[in-house]
Each structure stands twice: as C-alpha cells, then as structure tokens.
Amino acid sequence: MVKSGDTLYNIARRYSVSVDDIVYANQLADPSVLSVGQALIIPKEQRTHIVRRGQTLYSIAQSYGIDVKRLIAANPSIDPNRIYPGQSIIIPAAGQSLRNGYITDAADSTLSAQLPYLTFLSPFSYRTDTAGGLTQTFSVDTDLSEEERTANLLTITNLKAQGGFSSDIAHAVLTNQTVQDAFLENVEDKLAQGGWYGINMDFEYIYQFDRDSYNQFIARLTERLHALGYIVVTALAPKISDSQQGLLYTAHDYAYHGQTVDYVVLMTYEWGYTYGPAMAVAPIDKVRQVLDYAVSVVPAGKILLGVPNYGYDWTLPFVQGSAAKPLTNVGAVTLAGQVGAAIQFDETARSPFFLYYDGDGAQHEVWFEDARSLQAKYALVNEYGLAGVSFWNLNNLFRANFLVLGSMFSVEKVI
C-alpha cells in the first residue's frame, strides 16, 4: 500500500525487487506518479504475509482463502501457537480453479497475454433471433486459444441487433417448437465446424411466465449437446432467493440449472452500474448474499463466481438518467495519479474508490477493482468450495488480476 512519501525506488528496495518489475506488474503509466492508498503488486517467487497485531494463523489462512493446515505445512519452522507481529509467513497456493473469460471484441494481442491463465474463453459473439438463427458479431481465432489449451465456449445471447437484451427473442426460442428446433440445429452445425468445447447460454430479461419454458429448453439443449460430447454453461442473474422479483431474475431457476447443466456463471457485478448511483461494482457483502443462496440450491463445484474487470466514474450529485463513464482498473489508478486523489478502501464493500474535482468544478466518485478487492473475491472460491471464477470482461489487460489469482490458485485446464 502506497504511503505518503513513498517512491517506486524505495518500495523496490524495501521488498528487494526491481523497479521495472513493479512497473510491469502494475502497468504503471508514469512510474514517477503514485497515489496514496494505491495497492501495488510486488512480484516475488514466493508470496509472504507479515503478521499484524491480533492475527492468528487461522485468521491469516481465512483471509487468503486457504486451509490452515496448508499454511502450517508451508511454514514448518513456525510454532503455530506463537506467532508475533512483524513475523514473515509463507502463503501457499490454495489449489486449482477453473477460469472463464468473456470478450466482446477480437483484440488478439491483449487476449493472447491472458489465454494461458484461462480454462474457458467465451467470445460474446453470437446472438439469436425470433427465427432461431445465429448471427456472428465478431470472429475469434479459435486456434489461438487451443494453442494455450484454453477451451472455447460458443456464447449465445438474446441481444437485439441494435443492442439490449430482448425478452421477445427469448420467448420465441423458448416457446415456439419450430424456432427452437431451428436454433438447436444451428447450434449443432456451428459446433460441428470445430474449435468449440461447449456452449455458454446467456439469455437475460426473460419473461416471468417463460421460466418453465426456459427450464425445459435448458434440459433439451443439455441432453442433445451432452450426447455429442459438449458441455453446457449458463449465465445467471445475481439472486439472493428463488422468489426474487424483477425481469432480470425471475426466470433464472438456480436449482434447476444447478441440477441440469455443467457449470453456471453467477453475474455477481453491476450493483454499481452505468445509470445508477455511485457504489462498488461488486461489493463483497452483496456478493456473499448471492453465494449464500446459490450454494444452498446449486452444487458449489458447478459455480463460477463473476468478477468485474472494470470500474466507473460518476459525476456527483447523481441525477437519474445520467451515465457514469466506464474505466479500466489500470485507467482508474492512472486517473487518480493525474488528479492527485488519494485512493480509499471501503472495508464493507472491500473495494477501492476515490473522489476528485474536474476542471469545471464538478465532483466525481470512482469505484474500481484492485489487488485487495480481487484477493477478497478469490478467497470466496475456497471458502464456499466453488469451481472457480468468470471475468466480465477481458477486453483490457489487468495484469495484477492474474498475479493475485495465480498466487492463490493454479489454473485448471480441461484440454
């Protein structure tokens, strides 16, 4: 954590690493500019923790999402009953995890840097229509993924051509037998062309009265694709109960998907969103509420926890109808340095934020993700026994993300 008076040079000396390594790991736009409160990744071969007053091995293990027995095994020279402030403890990786990543364009150079860290790649590139057809919005080099043993998932949405999810498109596919037959034939034809490991269905804003039809469709889809050797993944809205109301939630039957498909992606983000008031995109307390419900009805080993790879910049005071500006996580830290803002950390949300004034005197509030917020989310994978995580989205490289994740879990490859 950057403190007042810190420079990269003295931080590098403190941790016995090079300035260049810190710059690279954190994608620092200007190495001479640091913000108070900024979280920096210190790249070292072995991850260590410096004991703070009041901590125990159990509390340390819990904070990193690992079993205390693994922590003790990694530190054989330490008396587990007598640790003290300032003591250095080695933190082992917790094990393997699955990782899915969505992309919404075909930036091969950015993508190639991330493929080694992914199990699945889900290009957000196909949408269906009221006739069950498939339209491709951009293409990806599936061979590039397979070179890194990353399995491609054919991702299909009910987005309209002009943008926005369509309840009517979903209704047609789910309830019209002719349309559904055409959809399934088109999906099988596309999969047969090669380069795909399975399908990722992201149907959103489904009419409440189509809930049973969606369940029946998922069962039919899964049965047909399993017979052909493909897996099925579905994306689910972040619910905290089965009875949760709202067009986004009602038709997503957690229990049914959990017993039917191979994996579900929980879209645990967008509490802070473009047209809403300023707040964390994925506050950890809200994420926990979703997980508490999810694991009660879905096998935990089928759950991929959604993780946002972005932030927002809101103009204050919030006015209904106004829009926040999206930012990359790297861009948010760069902005803080440019405007001289100190980065704060909300302990309830476990998310970083900062305030600043623009050239016109308007106040802004920025929320984003950093190493601390990501570490807190990844600890949930072990705590709840989840299969892994799913990123929305990987159009922009955030190197710290994979460094934090890699220090806690190694990637599980399926091909």
Side-chain angles (χ1 to χ4, degrees):
M1 302 308 305
V2 176
K3 299 179 178 62
S4 179
D6 272 344
T7 66
L8 276 189
Y9 177 74
N10 63 35
I11 291 172
R13 286 192 62 185
R14 187 183 310 153
Y15 292 100
S16 301
V17 297
S18 73
V19 169
D20 288 344
D21 283 350
I22 297 177
V23 170
Y24 178 80
N26 294 278
Q27 297 169 265
L28 299 179
D30 185 347
S32 67
V33 178
L34 297 177
S35 298
V36 171
Q38 180 179 349
L40 289 176
I41 290 287
I42 307 299
K44 303 188 77 172
E45 290 186 8
Q46 202 169 57
R47 185 171 57 150
T48 58
H49 174 88
I50 305 301
V51 178
R52 297 190 298 273
R53 186 178 300 278
Q55 288 189 315
T56 64
L57 281 184
Y58 177 78
S59 67
I60 293 170
Q62 190 174 43
S63 69
Y64 285 97
I66 60 176
D67 186 85
V68 70
K69 293 180 181 179
R70 288 180 59 83
L71 187 60
I72 293 172
N75 296 273
S77 63
I78 290 178
D79 180 351
N81 298 312
R82 296 185 64 185
I83 64 172
Y84 51 87
Q87 188 174 17
S88 179
I89 293 178
I90 296 171
I91 306 298
Q96 287 190 321
S97 69
L98 298 175
R99 299 118 177 239
N100 175 62
Y102 290 99
I103 56 170
T104 58
D105 63 37
D108 289 345
S109 60
T110 299
L111 181 58
S112 61
Q114 302 177 86
L115 286 173
Y117 307 103
L118 298 178
T119 311
F120 305 115
L121 177 68
S122 295
F124 212 66
S125 56
Y126 282 89
R127 54 180 172 80
T128 188
D129 52 39
T130 54
L134 294 181
T135 300
Q136 186 177 25
T137 55
F138 67 92
S139 61
V140 295
D141 183 357
T142 55
D143 291 338
L144 185 65
S145 301
E146 292 182 349
E147 289 174 8
E148 298 291 350
R149 296 177 53 223
T150 301
N152 297 296
L153 297 180
L154 180 67
T155 305
I156 302 176
T157 72
N158 58 322
L159 286 168
K160 296 176 287 188
Q162 64 272 32
F165 287 93
S166 168
S167 305
D168 292 328
I169 290 175
H171 178 73
V173 173
L174 301 181
T175 61
N176 185 306
Q177 191 68 44
T178 301
V179 172
Q180 189 172 124
D181 289 345
F183 174 86
L184 292 171
E185 289 296 327
N186 287 327
V187 167
E188 290 182 9
D189 287 346
K190 180 58 62 177
L191 291 172
Q193 294 174 17
W196 302 104
Y197 189 78
I199 186 171
N200 186 337
M201 288 295 303
D202 186 6
F203 271 23
E204 302 184 32
Y205 293 93
I206 301 169
Y207 289 126
Q208 178 178 348
F209 50 76
D210 281 336
R211 175 182 168 119
D212 289 342
S213 296
Y214 190 32
N215 286 348
Q216 293 166 16
F217 165 78
I218 288 297
R220 186 183 182 198
L221 173 73
T222 302
E223 181 179 15
R224 286 182 63 156
L225 295 191
H226 276 179
L228 297 173
Y230 298 106
I231 71 166
V232 176
V233 178
T234 54
L236 298 176
K239 298 177 66 168
I240 59 174
S241 72
D242 185 55
S243 60
Q244 187 167 341
Q245 296 301 301
L247 189 59
L248 181 64
Y249 308 101
T250 310
H252 283 182
D253 186 336
Y254 272 41
Y256 195 87
H257 284 244
Q259 72 183 19
T260 306
V261 304
D262 298 281
Y263 299 105
V264 299
V265 171
L266 301 186
M267 295 183 284
T268 39
Y269 35 73
E270 289 291 277
W271 278 273
Y273 65 103
T274 305
Y275 299 104
M279 67 177 293
V281 175
I284 200 77
D285 53 327
K286 302 293 186 184
V287 173
R288 278 186 174 278
Q289 290 177 357
V290 176
L291 285 177
D292 287 342
Y293 166 62
V295 297
S296 72
V297 292
V298 179
K302 286 189 174 185
I303 295 174
L304 298 175
L305 177 68
V307 177
N309 183 40
Y310 59 94
Y312 288 114
D313 179 343
W314 286 268
T315 302
L316 303 180
F318 170 71
V319 177
Q320 195 68 44
S322 63
K325 176 184 176 182
L327 291 173
T328 67
N329 295 318
V330 174
V333 173
T334 300
L335 175 61
Q338 291 171 342
V339 300
I343 296 173
Q344 303 176 63
F345 195 75
D346 185 289
E347 291 295 341
T348 300
R350 297 294 296 167
S351 296
F353 70 99
F354 62 90
L355 301 168
Y356 76 95
Y357 287 89
D358 64 24
D360 296 324
Q363 189 176 30
H364 291 245
E365 186 170 337
V366 176
W367 290 83
F368 61 104
E369 302 294 330
D370 70 1
R372 295 166 294 177
S373 64
L374 292 171
Q375 185 182 69
K377 291 175 176 61
Y378 299 149
L380 298 176
V381 173
N382 187 65
E383 180 182 340
Y384 285 86
L386 309 182
V389 295
S390 177
F391 304 110
W392 180 267
N393 61 56
L394 296 181
N395 291 353
N396 297 287
L397 174 64
F398 186 35
R399 194 169 286 120
N401 175 37
F402 293 108
L403 291 172
V404 172
L405 185 57
S407 72
M408 300 175 71
F409 302 94
S410 58
V411 61
E412 181 178 343
K413 295 286 189 176
V414 294
I415 60 173

